[in-house]
Amino acid sequence: MGDLLKFMHARYEEGNHAYAEVACRFGGEAILGSHLPMLDLIDMLAQDCEAMDPQDPRFAGLTYALRALAQSYEEHPDYREEWRP
């Protein structure tokens, strides 16, 4: 699970860097309609998962959700097939 969380955090960072570049070129208004808020929420889920006790009854559902969200990056070279839900 640790590798999946690192992968998700890295995608979050990449997304932030990409949108920062867009904001520099086109202004902050270009970001308003972006999926940046969704990236923030996904990263919050990853942080919650890192802090959560695996014995917590919510842990299984949270890890499933993160695996499902990671599928959107299946074309990324660092994505692993073992992360599929």
Side-chain angles (χ1 to χ4, degrees):
M1 190 59 174
D3 289 340
L4 174 61
L5 293 173
K6 288 178 189 175
F7 177 79
M8 294 302 285
H9 285 306
R11 302 299 67 77
Y12 170 75
E13 291 295 323
E14 284 178 359
N16 278 334
H17 289 290
Y19 284 109
E21 185 176 329
V22 168
C24 283
R25 290 184 185 191
F26 303 106
E29 301 299 317
I31 294 181
L32 291 178
S34 75
H35 69 279
L36 194 56
M38 183 60 73
L39 289 174
D40 289 339
L41 293 171
I42 292 169
D43 194 59
M44 286 174 52
L45 287 175
Q47 290 175 23
D48 288 349
C49 189
E50 285 176 322
M52 189 177 286
D53 181 349
Q55 301 305 314
D56 188 309
R58 300 170 295 168
F59 187 76
L62 183 53
T63 57
Y64 182 87
L66 287 169
R67 289 173 187 267
L69 290 167
Q71 284 182 298
S72 64
Y73 298 106
E74 69 182 352
E75 299 296 322
H76 192 279
D78 294 335
Y79 179 80
R80 297 182 191 169
E81 192 64 31
E82 66 197 51
W83 293 336
R84 285 199 180 279

